[in-house]
Amino acid sequence: MAICSPSSESSSATSGRAWVVHALVVGAAVVAAVGAHAAVYFKWFRKDRSRVVGSSQPGLPPRVRGETPGPDPRKPMIQRTWERAKLASTLDHVVVATDSEKIAECCREFGADVIMTSESCKNGTERCNEALQKLGKNYDVVVNIQGDEPLIEPDIIDGVVRALQGAPDAVFSTAVTSLKPEDGLDPNRVKCVVDNHGYAIYFSRGLIPFNKSGKVNPQFPYLLHLGIQSFDSKFLRIYPQLPPTPLQLEEDLEQLKVLENGYKMKVIKVDHDAHGVDTPEDVEKIEALMRERNIS
């Protein structure tokens, strides 16, 4: 697909957010360097498409940091996530941004372009903003895909981008799927509640809603937040300037700062039975899914 230069002026919301920045971010999941911060991948689009940014968390278990399961276990998880993102129909080109030279070297080895970012970024959202600024061009949307999502569906990436394009009153969009009852009390599984118009009400590491019995209701359609979210690029520049908020700090969830400041967030529901890798047990689950789907 042809690669076009972005317009010199960022278009308005009514123009359909023609330019979107696409990227994936991964952290120490790629190399053994514990504590290295996330990397970011950027996709370049035609004028009628969008661009996406993604991120993952640092400090993952060594097995996860060095490799992922499958016929070729030597392939880094960041590479698997990057390859899945490249299959999204709206994306044309990918770039990785990281503060770790080891991660950058790993990504260059499998052919990714790299943007180096600073260690001062507090989370993936701030890292996406810095990477966007270093590109030195104007874009309208940035999509953050967590790098510990080696089975992310390309259609989900496209859906999140289009959800933001279709909601001019929102500055953020994301995806959720059905939460398995056995994951209801797991703090590594972030839950979400949504209003009747498809906008986020709240995110939590605890079970929400929480009934008075104090138990997971296997009949209730709880929602699991997936590791992908997109931002209006103008808002992305504002985000680092907003002070931390009480709910954000208590839950350690960066998207809560968006909601606590009164901004709207569009949410789409998708069918997706995989999730990010937060523990060694998660690797076993991903292995089983990859064998089931015959993914190399």
Side-chain angles (χ1 to χ4, degrees):
M1 290 183 285
I3 300 175
C4 301
S5 299
S7 57
S8 58
E9 297 293 334
S10 179
S11 61
S12 66
T14 56
S15 68
R17 292 188 172 101
W19 291 103
V20 186
V21 181
H22 290 263
L24 296 172
V25 183
V26 297
V30 179
V31 294
V34 178
H37 286 83
V40 182
Y41 305 80
F42 284 84
K43 287 254 179 187
W44 300 76
F45 297 77
R46 297 193 190 99
K47 191 171 183 179
D48 60 341
R49 299 289 176 88
S50 29
R51 293 183 159 189
V52 186
V53 173
S55 74
S56 81
Q57 305 303 314
L60 294 174
R63 181 180 180 189
V64 180
R65 287 197 297 266
E67 58 187 38
T68 49
D72 182 4
R74 297 165 298 176
K75 185 181 291 187
M77 179 161 51
I78 181 171
Q79 181 177 352
R80 293 186 184 279
T81 309
W82 178 78
E83 289 173 348
R84 298 294 289 173
K86 284 174 68 68
L87 296 175
S89 64
T90 52
L91 313 185
D92 295 322
H93 177 213
V94 179
V95 177
V96 179
T98 179
D99 65 10
S100 166
E101 188 55 48
K102 291 183 179 180
I103 293 177
E105 180 180 356
C106 171
C107 294
R108 292 186 189 108
E109 286 179 357
F110 62 75
D113 294 333
V114 176
I115 293 178
M116 299 301 297
T117 55
S118 70
E119 297 180 359
S120 63
C121 297
K122 299 181 180 66
N123 51 50
T125 304
E126 292 191 8
R127 192 163 301 281
C128 289
N129 176 59
E130 181 179 341
L132 175 63
Q133 305 314 311
K134 288 192 172 183
L135 284 175
K137 300 174 182 177
N138 292 321
Y139 303 96
D140 293 328
V141 180
V142 178
V143 183
N144 180 354
I145 306 165
Q146 299 226 355
D148 61 349
E149 293 272 357
L151 298 182
I152 188 70
E153 296 292 339
D155 287 347
I156 295 177
I157 299 173
D158 293 335
V160 168
V161 172
R162 290 167 183 151
L164 185 58
Q165 290 174 325
D169 58 339
V171 299
F172 187 119
S173 67
T174 191
V176 296
T177 192
S178 297
L179 177 74
K180 297 176 182 178
E182 60 267 29
D183 290 334
L185 301 179
D186 186 344
N188 291 315
R189 304 288 175 258
V190 177
K191 296 80 175 176
C192 177
V193 286
V194 180
D195 69 17
N196 291 336
H197 302 286
Y199 291 90
I201 297 174
Y202 192 66
F203 295 85
S204 180
R205 296 185 181 278
L207 183 65
I208 52 173
F210 191 78
N211 61 56
K212 62 182 180 182
S213 76
K215 299 178 181 179
V216 177
N217 177 3
Q219 305 303 317
F220 189 86
Y222 300 104
L223 298 175
L224 171 69
H225 182 225
L226 298 178
I228 177 171
Q229 46 208 21
S230 72
F231 310 90
D232 178 275
S233 64
K234 292 181 180 178
F235 172 75
L236 189 61
R237 292 180 175 90
I238 294 172
Y239 182 91
Q241 302 172 27
L242 299 173
T245 55
L247 296 176
Q248 173 203 2
L249 294 175
E250 183 65 20
E251 297 263 16
D252 190 22
L253 295 174
E254 59 200 89
Q255 60 268 36
L256 289 178
K257 185 163 76 166
V258 180
L259 296 180
E260 285 186 86
N261 278 283
Y263 293 99
K264 300 191 73 171
M265 187 181 306
K266 190 69 174 178
V267 179
I268 62 170
K269 173 88 183 295
V270 300
D271 292 325
H272 186 62
D273 56 2
H275 50 65
V277 177
D278 297 293
T279 68
E281 291 74 23
D282 291 338
V283 178
E284 309 295 336
K285 296 177 183 178
I286 295 297
E287 283 179 341
L289 286 169
M290 293 184 76
R291 287 193 296 267
E292 179 183 317
R293 300 178 187 182
N294 196 28
I295 296 176
S296 61

